[in-house]
Amino acid sequence: MGSKFRKLKREKQASSPFKLIAAWNKGFAAGAKQQMKQDTEIMMEWLGRLEEIDGIGPKMTWKIREHLLNFLSERMKKNGD
C-alpha cells in the first residue's frame, strides 16, 4: 500500500497547471456544445408549435420562422462561422 501511495503522490506532483487548464477548456467546450444543442432543440420545438397560439396562422408562422432563420444566418455570417 505504501508504494502505491508514493506513486500517486509523485504523479500528483508531476501534473502541471497546463494539464489542468487544458482539461478545464476541454470540459468547458463540451458543456458549451451540449448547451447549444439543447437550446437549438428547444427553439425548434417552439417554432413547431407556433400555430397553437391563438391568432397565429400558417402565414404568420412562416413569416416568424423565416425572420428567425434570416436573423440567425446573418448572425453566423457576422461572426465568421
Side-chain angles (χ1 to χ4, degrees), residues 1-2 7 11-12 20 23 29-31 33 35 38 41 49 57-58 62-63 66 68-69 71-73 75-77 81:
M1 184 70 171
K7 183 179 176 182
E11 288 175 1
K12 185 177 180 184
L20 180 62
K33 184 177 180 181
Q35 183 65 48
Q38 187 178 18
E41 289 172 359
R49 298 174 66 186
W62 173 252
K63 288 180 182 180
E66 184 179 31
L68 178 67
L69 292 174
F71 172 78
L72 293 175
S73 176
R75 185 78 176 224
M76 287 177 66
K77 287 178 186 175
D81 292 342

Side-chain angles (χ1 to χ4, degrees), residues 56-69:
I56 297 183
K59 287 183 180 181
M60 183 59 72
T61 300
W62 173 252
K63 288 180 182 180
I64 293 170
R65 289 176 183 155
E66 184 179 31
H67 176 72
L68 178 67
L69 292 174

Side-chain angles (χ1 to χ4, degrees), residues 12-63:
K12 185 177 180 184
Q13 290 174 351
S15 65
S16 71
F18 296 111
K19 288 182 181 179
L20 180 62
I21 292 169
W24 173 272
N25 288 339
K26 185 177 178 182
F28 188 85
K33 184 177 180 181
Q34 185 66 28
Q35 183 65 48
M36 189 182 317
K37 180 181 174 189
Q38 187 178 18
D39 291 345
T40 302
E41 289 172 359
I42 290 170
M43 183 59 73
M44 294 307 291
E45 181 182 347
W46 181 80
L47 286 172
R49 298 174 66 186
L50 276 174
E51 291 178 346
E52 295 175 11
I53 300 171
D54 289 336
I56 297 183
K59 287 183 180 181
M60 183 59 72
T61 300
W62 173 252
K63 288 180 182 180

